[in-house]
Amino acid sequence: MIHVVTAANRGFYEPQLEAMHRLRRELFIVGRGWDLEERDGGEYDRSDDERAIYLLMLDQDARLLCGMRLRPTDDWSVLTDALPHLVMGDAARLKRPDIWEMTRHVSIGMGATAPEARRRSAEIRVAMTELALRDGISQFVGAMDTGLLGPATQGWIRLKAAGLPQPYPEGGSGLGFTIPVSEGLLADLRRDFACPVPIAFELDARSPLSARPIAELEIRSRARQGADGYPPSLAPVWAPCFAVEGAA
């Protein structure tokens, strides 16, 4: 499953979020030499605020495997405010509360086989689309390296470039992209990546589950996995995924 981490439940995921920020530092500051803010051993930017949503895939010991950040674009985003030249025309048209920017996708690569890497990416895509449909989001936007356009188009199916490739400030080139969100997109992702059941799980602080270690939730989820390695519907345990258990 993919954990949905918001301002309301971040306190349950402090070790995982710290690991995510440290990995971002290793990948983007140390590895790529980007001029980004470094703090407390991790990489941060102004999008790491109360409006940020983090999607985390964890192993059975609740250690970080991969992560992604989502955030509304209406007040600020990397694409529209830091890299507007990656969008053809007026980038301000993409500043809306019903548009989420997807940024800072990181993954622990050591020991991950190619099928495992594809599985991680597929589950993140499905989870974020589930969440976007629940919250009335119309599209995702973001920026990526130009060389990733082909694989990204295959992975997202409906991804479209928002402009022509342009140079990054730190070197190399990138382009903006948009992905329209719809029930059809979710159905296509589920079918193409053999992931037919709910993936996203948002732990509510009012739920009895919040008293249990995150690792225990992972173990219980894995105990219910189907033969194909993907978690089946969590409904028998946490019905439904986005419900608030114990709420009036």
Side-chain angles (χ1 to χ4, degrees):
M1 66 181 174
I2 302 298
H3 296 260
V4 179
V5 183
T6 68
N9 66 6
R10 286 181 197 172
F12 300 106
Y13 293 92
E14 290 182 356
Q16 293 82 11
L17 291 173
E18 290 175 359
M20 177 197 70
H21 285 290
R22 288 196 301 270
L23 181 58
R24 282 168 44 173
R25 174 186 175 276
E26 289 300 315
L27 292 176
F28 302 127
I29 296 178
V30 177
R32 303 198 62 170
W34 288 358
D35 183 18
L36 301 172
E37 179 184 353
E38 184 175 348
R39 185 172 75 244
D40 300 326
E43 181 270 314
Y44 295 81
D45 70 9
R46 62 180 296 177
S47 288
D48 293 305
D49 61 7
E50 293 301 299
R51 302 185 75 192
I53 301 170
Y54 302 100
L55 301 182
L56 304 179
M57 175 182 280
L58 310 177
D59 68 13
Q60 64 182 4
D61 296 315
R63 293 174 300 196
L64 180 71
L65 291 176
C66 64
M68 167 82 75
R69 183 181 65 194
L70 301 172
R71 190 185 182 282
T73 63
D74 54 335
D75 57 348
W76 192 88
S77 76
V78 175
L79 179 63
T80 60
D81 294 276
L83 301 171
H85 63 293
L86 300 186
V87 178
M88 185 175 293
D90 185 7
R93 73 181 188 276
L94 300 178
K95 296 173 69 70
R96 290 170 22 192
D98 65 328
I99 296 179
W100 277 351
E101 181 178 46
M102 45 189 288
T103 53
R104 299 304 195 262
H105 188 184
V106 296
S107 181
I108 302 292
M110 186 175 297
T113 63
E116 169 67 12
R118 287 193 294 270
R119 182 182 71 85
R120 293 180 186 180
S121 295
E123 290 195 15
I124 288 284
R125 293 186 193 106
V126 171
M128 61 190 290
T129 306
E130 290 174 356
L131 189 64
L133 287 170
R134 184 199 73 172
D135 289 356
I137 301 305
S138 66
Q139 61 182 308
F140 301 123
V141 301
M144 65 177 154
D145 293 351
T146 302
L148 296 178
L149 179 60
T153 301
Q154 291 180 341
W156 270 107
I157 307 169
R158 304 185 186 191
L159 180 147
K160 296 182 179 179
L164 298 175
Q166 300 292 334
Y168 280 139
E170 295 86 358
S173 67
L175 49 80
F177 64 85
T178 64
I179 303 168
V181 175
S182 67
E183 292 286 354
L185 173 63
L186 180 58
D188 288 345
L189 291 172
R190 290 196 187 286
R191 182 195 64 240
D192 290 358
F193 297 105
C195 193
V197 295
I199 293 294
F201 172 67
E202 184 170 355
L203 179 62
D204 193 285
R206 296 170 291 178
S207 166
L209 294 174
S210 66
R212 299 177 181 174
I214 297 299
E216 179 183 334
L217 303 185
E218 274 293 327
I219 291 172
R220 293 184 65 186
S221 171
R222 291 166 186 272
R224 303 187 63 86
Q225 284 182 349
D228 60 358
Y230 287 96
S233 173
L234 299 177
V237 181
W238 305 317
C241 290
F242 295 119
V244 178
E245 299 87 344

